[in-house]
């Protein structure tokens, strides 16, 4: 077989190798991820969640979940690999090594007479004079004659014995594994080869680069548009009230791309009448307010109405076209809310602090969207600062049931959870009229609801006390418990049509100044990642404090045990402010459940600097470099205070006076607490 034929025969092997190299590890990764997701996705088993169909294991749903573009491409590539393996094994000819004894049908070491005899026998069968078949002529010349020459000619036999070929030492040959028709340069296929090289080596990488750059220029790493982040950064204000967070959320560029159809006009008008009470319109000037609402950009109007339809559970009235738009809006909401939260806690002040009020408002909006509870239900009623909203996330609870329970002096959800199961069952059956099955659903959801405790310490590594300009280390252990014993679980969210993992936000903030000093997102879904992160953080902390190897290993083992028992380590740093006593609050806010937030007090005492220099590469003059930026923020806030006035905001002068009054007291920065309900704002 010639060199070109050998290269052509290797082409399927080349293609098989190029497909298998990325496909095999990618498939293993997908299978591991699917197995991990299946182990983690422990969802609610109540009847309401079962009827929602979100977790239904029907054949149709399994097929629809599997029939994604990535999965179908994966299957097709594996089928192609199977075809190539079959072709290589059963169809493609193997490259034969030149063996003259085998060609002549002799055993190695045969005598000259046996060689001549075998040659004459094969000549009668394959010689062109005896056999006119062209294939016989080719086999006789390229195989039989060459084998006979290799065994009878002294020089050829010596070359064969030394180098394995009658022509002597063979030079090193290189080729390209392409089909034979592409290697025929003399014909028209030479142009095909040139086009193939240009396409694979130049055009394909260029197309991939253009697609990647165009997407990266439009989207961030979290698949959120850069235009959305710019809008969120611009409209996020320190006095933004929770009721106004919705106005910022709907300004995402992703929502502006939702199609606007003429046929949506009448259904949206009907939907407006259903959710009008949740739109914060001034009832005294209702006509003017309605006209102002409809004058907004059509995409903003449509998005807000669809979100309000979800919050008020009015989605069954939507047309099929609006149903598709609604699913798109709700599907994007968690991702956009996550970015909106980052815009709230991103450093804005000269001290590197974020804003507390908008951060709390963003989490409250997330809770309402996941549980499909109206924002108006969070208004304080009776003894609960969160209103009826936490109860409305429970199955079979309605406003009518809440009115009946209010007569029995059930003030808030925590009191309801603290009741004995039998007392709770009597209350629901006698007062609420619940059946035994409905009571069982309520108990299942209460068992799924998380309870968290938090222990917080603040200090300067390697030093006693905290001085101005120090780098303060925050270390906190957050522990989650459920009545059913689970740590990793999906929240009860039957009205949210997509899977949603439970996340928490840890905020160390000063309520008086509305500043967030430190923030971090906490998840209990991935235990392996939490073990790795906690081990690394504790090891670095112990090494920085000068501990020996035994002490470090012991601390790491204790941290790993804590993580496996349902705790998560939160660690971070912030710059110590000016001298004074600071009464901070540690918030632990859940983005999926209502009424499960916790907060605890943390006292931080900062003394005047007596140690020379600063640590961590931070100088005392550093914050002064951003005075100009701080002035711009103040000017910008004055321009937009009229549009984003918060019912939770206070006059700036009052804030300053309260801050001065708070800056006195005692103690090293250390605190630990099991937390309390975050019912106050």
């Amino acid at each position: 077989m010639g060199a070109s034929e050998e290269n052509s025969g290797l082409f399927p092997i080349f293609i098989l190798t190029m497909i298998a190299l990325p496909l095999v590890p990618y498939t293993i990764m997908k299978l591991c991820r699917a197995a991990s997701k299946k182990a983690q996705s422990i969802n609610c088993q109540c009847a309401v969640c079962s009827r929602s169909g979100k977790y239904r294991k029907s054949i149709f749903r399994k097929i629809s979940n599997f029939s994604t573009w990535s999965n179908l491409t994966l299957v097709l590539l594996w089928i192609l690999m199977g075809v190539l393996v079959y072709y290589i094994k059963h169809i493609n000819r193997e490259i034969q090594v030149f063996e003259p004894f085998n060609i002549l049908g002799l055993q190695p070491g045969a005598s000259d007479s046996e060689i001549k005899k075998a040659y004459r026998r094969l000549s009668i069968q394959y010689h062109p004079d005896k056999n006119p078949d062209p294939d016989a002529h080719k086999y006789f010349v390229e195989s039989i004659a060459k084998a006979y020459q290799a065994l009878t000619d002294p020089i050829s036999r010596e070359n064969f014995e030394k180098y394995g070929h009658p022509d002597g030492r063979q030079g090193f040959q290189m080729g390209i594994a392409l089909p034979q028709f592409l290697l025929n340069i003399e014909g028209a296929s030479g142009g095909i080869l040139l086009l193939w090289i240009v396409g694979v080596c130049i055009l394909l990488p260029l197309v991939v680069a253009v697609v990647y750059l165009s997407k990266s220029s439009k989207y961030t790493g979290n698949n959120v548009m850069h235009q959305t982040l710019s809008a969120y950064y611009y409209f996020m204000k320190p006095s933004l009230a929770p009721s106004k967070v919705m106005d910022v959320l709907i300004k995402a560029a992703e929502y502006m791309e939702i199609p606007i159809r003429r046929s949506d006009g009448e259904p949206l008008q009907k939907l407006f009448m259903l959710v009008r009470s949740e739109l914060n319109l001034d009832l005294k000037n209702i006509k003017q307010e309605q006209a102002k609402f409809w004058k907004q950009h059509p995409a903003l109007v449509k998005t807000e109405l669809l979100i309000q339809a979800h919050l008020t559970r009015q989605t069954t009235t939507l047309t099929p076209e609006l149903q598709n738009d609604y699913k798109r809006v709700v599907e994007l909401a968690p991702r956009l809310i996550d970015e909106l939260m980052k815009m709230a806690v991103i450093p804005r002040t000269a001290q590197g602090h974020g804003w507390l009020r908008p951060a709390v408002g963003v989490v409250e909006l997330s809770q309402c969207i996941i549980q499909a509870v109206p924002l108006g239900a969070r208004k304080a009623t009776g003894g609960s600062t969160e209103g009826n909203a936490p109860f409305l996330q429970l199955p079979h609870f309605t406003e009518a049931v809440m009115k009946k329970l209010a007569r029995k002096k059930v003030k808030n959800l925590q009191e309801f959870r603290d009741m004995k199961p039998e007392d709770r069952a009597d209350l629901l059956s006698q007062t609420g009229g619940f059946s035994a099955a409905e009571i069982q659903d309520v108990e299942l959801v209460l068992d799924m609801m998380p309870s968290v405790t938090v222990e917080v310490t603040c200090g300067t590594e390697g030093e006693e006390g905290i001085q101005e300009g120090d780098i303060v280390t925050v270390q906190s252990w957050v522990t989650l418990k459920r009545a059913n014993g689970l740590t990793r679980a999906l929240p009860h969210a039957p009205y949210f049509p997509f899977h949603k993992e439970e996340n928490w936000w840890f905020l160390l903030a000063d309520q008086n100044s509305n500043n967030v000093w430190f923030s971090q997102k906490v998840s209990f879904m991935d235990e392996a990642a939490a073990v790795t992160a906690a081990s690394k953080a504790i090891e670095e902390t112990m090494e920085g404090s000068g501990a020996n190897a035994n002490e470090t290993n012991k601390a790491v083992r204790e941290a790993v045990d804590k993580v496996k028992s349902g705790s998560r380590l939160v660690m971070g740093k912030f710059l110590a402010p000016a001298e004074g006593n600071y009464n901070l609050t540690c918030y632990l806010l859940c983005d999926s459940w209502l009424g499960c937030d916790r907060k605890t007090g943390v006292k931080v005492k900062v003394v005047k600097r007596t140690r020379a220099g600063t640590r961590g590469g931070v100088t005392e003059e550093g914050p002064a470099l951003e005075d100009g930026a701080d002035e711009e923020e103040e000017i910008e806030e004055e321009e937009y205070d009229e549009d984003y006035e918060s019912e939770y905001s206070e006059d700036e002068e009052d804030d300053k006076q309260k801050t001065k009054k708070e800056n006195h007291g005692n103690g090293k920065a250390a605190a630990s607490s099991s937390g309390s309900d975050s019912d106050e704002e």
Side-chain angles (χ1 to χ4, degrees):
M1 182 180 291
S4 62
E5 293 179 347
E6 293 178 4
N7 293 333
S8 178
L10 292 174
F11 178 70
I13 301 177
F14 170 75
I15 294 297
L16 178 64
T17 304
M18 297 302 296
I19 295 176
L21 283 176
L23 184 61
V24 172
Y26 180 73
T27 304
I28 295 174
M29 182 190 69
K30 289 272 288 185
L31 292 175
C32 293
R33 186 180 299 175
S36 176
K37 186 176 181 179
K38 183 178 180 181
Q40 294 178 1
S41 300
I42 303 174
N43 55 277
C44 179
Q45 302 296 325
C46 73
V48 181
C49 287
S50 299
R51 286 197 301 267
S52 69
K54 186 164 57 173
Y55 307 109
R56 191 176 301 156
K57 301 300 181 181
S58 63
I59 298 297
F60 176 78
R61 181 167 291 274
K62 289 181 179 179
I63 294 175
S64 62
N65 290 337
F66 176 79
S67 300
T68 61
W69 283 110
S70 61
N71 290 339
L72 292 177
T73 303
L74 204 65
V75 172
L76 291 177
L77 289 175
W78 274 106
I79 293 174
L80 179 60
M81 280 187 61
V83 172
L84 289 173
V85 170
Y86 178 83
Y87 176 80
I88 293 169
K89 184 176 180 181
H90 297 282
I91 300 176
N92 202 19
R93 293 181 299 170
E94 297 181 358
I95 301 175
Q96 299 290 338
V97 180
F98 181 74
E99 292 287 352
F101 289 105
N102 291 338
I103 293 173
L104 297 177
L106 299 173
Q107 295 294 329
S111 63
D112 292 342
S113 61
E114 291 175 339
I115 293 173
K116 292 178 181 179
K117 186 188 235 181
Y119 176 70
R120 285 194 296 268
R121 185 182 72 252
L122 294 174
S123 297
I124 295 173
Q125 184 177 356
Y126 292 101
H127 195 278
D129 296 338
K130 305 293 184 180
N131 191 341
D133 188 0
D135 292 337
H137 175 263
K138 183 178 180 181
Y139 180 68
F140 179 80
V141 173
E142 293 183 358
S143 299
I144 297 175
K146 186 175 289 188
Y148 178 72
Q149 181 185 8
L151 297 178
T152 56
D153 183 69
I155 297 177
S156 298
R157 185 156 189 169
E158 183 181 358
N159 289 335
F160 172 72
E161 292 174 352
K162 284 185 178 181
Y163 308 112
H165 199 280
D167 296 332
R169 185 190 300 271
Q170 299 297 298
F172 181 73
Q173 294 182 351
M174 295 183 65
I176 181 170
L178 291 175
Q180 179 65 25
F181 75 92
L182 288 180
L183 298 173
N184 184 16
I185 305 299
E186 298 176 357
S189 59
I192 299 177
L193 175 61
L194 178 62
L195 291 176
W196 188 88
I197 294 175
V198 171
V200 173
C201 300
I202 298 177
L203 294 181
L204 182 60
L206 186 61
V207 169
V208 173
V210 169
V211 172
Y212 172 77
L213 292 176
S214 62
K215 184 176 181 180
S216 61
S217 63
K218 189 176 181 180
Y219 291 90
T220 65
N222 296 329
N223 290 325
V224 175
M225 291 185 179
H226 291 288
Q227 188 178 352
T228 298
L229 297 186
S230 300
Y232 284 174
Y233 186 86
Y234 178 79
F235 288 105
M236 182 63 65
K237 303 299 173 185
S239 58
L240 186 65
S243 59
K244 299 293 184 180
V245 174
M246 174 80 76
D247 298 336
V248 181
L249 174 68
I250 63 176
K251 289 181 171 61
E254 288 85 348
Y255 289 153
M256 302 298 288
E257 294 183 347
I258 293 178
I260 305 299
R261 295 176 290 267
R262 291 184 178 180
S263 59
D264 295 338
E266 184 177 351
L268 289 179
Q269 289 281 357
K270 294 180 179 178
L271 182 60
F272 173 81
M273 299 305 297
L274 292 175
V275 302
R276 184 173 59 177
S277 60
E278 295 294 329
L279 295 176
N280 294 323
L281 301 179
D282 187 3
L283 298 179
K284 296 180 180 179
N285 302 312
I286 188 63
K287 292 184 178 180
Q288 297 178 359
E289 290 289 313
Q290 290 183 7
K292 183 179 178 181
F293 177 81
W294 288 104
K295 285 182 180 179
Q296 298 180 97
H297 192 283
L300 298 179
V301 173
K302 186 175 185 178
T303 302
E304 184 170 3
L305 289 178
L306 291 177
I307 294 179
Q308 292 293 352
H310 171 72
L311 297 178
T312 56
R313 304 176 185 179
Q314 300 287 345
T315 56
T316 55
T317 62
L318 301 178
T319 63
E321 293 80 8
L322 288 179
Q323 282 282 355
N324 295 331
D325 296 336
Y326 154 73
K327 290 181 179 179
R328 179 60 178 166
V329 169
V330 176
E331 182 181 15
L332 291 172
R335 188 191 314 164
L336 297 176
I337 287 176
D338 196 50
E339 295 301 320
L340 191 60
M341 183 66 177
K342 294 177 183 177
M343 291 297 106
V345 299
I346 193 174
R348 300 282 193 138
T349 65
Q351 294 76 27
H353 297 162
W355 295 327
L356 176 62
R357 291 190 186 95
V360 173
V362 171
V363 176
E364 290 180 354
L365 177 61
S366 175
Q367 294 171 352
C368 288
I369 289 179
I370 301 303
Q371 296 296 338
V373 172
L375 290 171
R378 301 190 72 110
K379 294 181 181 179
T381 56
S384 175
T385 57
E386 290 191 340
N388 296 331
F391 287 96
L392 294 179
Q393 68 187 332
L394 299 177
H396 315 298
F397 269 70
T398 61
E399 292 289 349
V401 173
M402 288 305 307
K403 291 180 180 179
K404 295 178 181 179
L405 293 181
R407 300 169 188 168
K408 298 296 182 179
K409 307 300 182 182
V410 179
K411 297 180 180 179
N412 52 55
L413 180 63
Q414 189 59 46
E415 288 186 5
F416 186 72
R417 294 178 65 184
D418 292 339
M419 295 175 64
K420 295 180 179 180
E422 53 271 17
D423 296 338
R424 205 161 40 227
D426 292 339
L427 176 66
L428 293 177
S429 61
Q430 297 176 7
T431 305
F434 280 36
S435 65
E438 292 174 339
I439 294 174
Q440 180 64 24
D441 289 339
V442 174
E443 293 296 329
L444 287 173
V445 174
L446 292 177
D447 289 344
M448 287 287 291
M449 295 187 72
S451 297
V452 290
T453 57
V454 57
E455 299 175 358
V456 188
T457 59
C458 298
T460 305
E461 294 181 1
E463 302 288 349
E464 293 184 1
I466 301 175
Q467 298 186 6
E468 295 175 330
D470 280 355
I471 301 299
V472 183
T473 299
V474 182
Q475 179 172 322
S476 174
W477 281 102
V478 180
T479 304
L480 182 144
K481 299 291 183 183
R482 304 182 201 270
N484 57 14
L486 298 175
T487 299
R488 300 171 296 179
L490 297 178
H492 162 80
Y495 299 99
F496 190 79
F498 303 97
H499 287 248
K500 173 65 174 71
E501 293 186 353
E502 180 183 288
N503 295 303
W504 299 77
W505 279 95
F506 178 95
L507 305 178
L508 185 62
D510 185 353
Q511 287 182 305
N512 296 319
S513 63
N514 191 35
N515 289 332
V516 176
W517 291 27
F518 170 75
S519 64
Q520 184 172 322
K521 192 176 182 179
V522 184
S523 175
F524 289 85
M525 298 300 293
D526 194 345
E527 183 179 285
V531 168
T532 302
S535 301
K536 183 178 180 181
I538 293 298
E539 184 176 357
E540 292 177 354
T541 301
M542 296 299 292
E543 290 178 354
S545 63
N548 56 39
N550 292 333
E551 293 174 342
T552 300
N553 293 334
K554 181 180 179 181
V556 169
R557 286 195 299 270
E558 292 176 352
V560 170
D561 292 339
K562 278 189 174 183
V563 172
K564 291 183 177 180
S565 63
S567 298
R568 295 293 182 265
L569 176 63
V570 177
M571 286 195 70
K573 300 179 185 295
F574 64 86
L575 182 66
E579 177 186 6
N581 294 331
Y582 298 88
N583 294 321
L584 306 181
T585 303
C586 173
Y587 291 83
L588 199 61
L589 308 177
C590 182
D591 69 347
S592 303
W593 292 95
L594 289 139
C596 296
D597 302 335
R598 292 291 180 270
K599 65 179 182 179
T600 183
V602 180
K603 293 184 178 180
V604 176
K605 180 179 180 181
V606 181
V607 299
K608 191 173 182 180
R609 170 158 294 282
T610 59
R611 296 188 289 269
T614 58
R615 294 180 297 280
V618 180
T619 61
E620 295 179 355
E621 299 177 358
L625 297 176
E626 298 184 11
D627 285 345
D630 190 44
E631 293 175 1
E632 291 181 5
E633 289 290 338
E634 292 178 0
I635 295 173
E636 190 175 320
E637 291 167 16
E638 293 176 1
E639 293 177 353
Y640 293 93
D641 273 347
E642 183 177 354
D643 293 336
Y644 290 91
E645 183 179 2
S646 169
E647 63 263 34
Y648 296 95
S649 62
E650 298 176 351
D651 187 81
E652 292 185 0
E653 295 298 326
D654 293 340
D655 282 345
K656 293 179 181 179
Q657 294 178 5
K658 290 185 179 181
T659 304
K660 291 181 181 180
K661 292 180 181 180
E662 293 290 341
N663 290 341
H664 63 85
N666 56 3
K668 178 184 176 181
S672 67
S673 172
S674 61
S676 59
D677 293 336
S678 66
D679 295 335
E680 301 176 4
E681 177 59 12

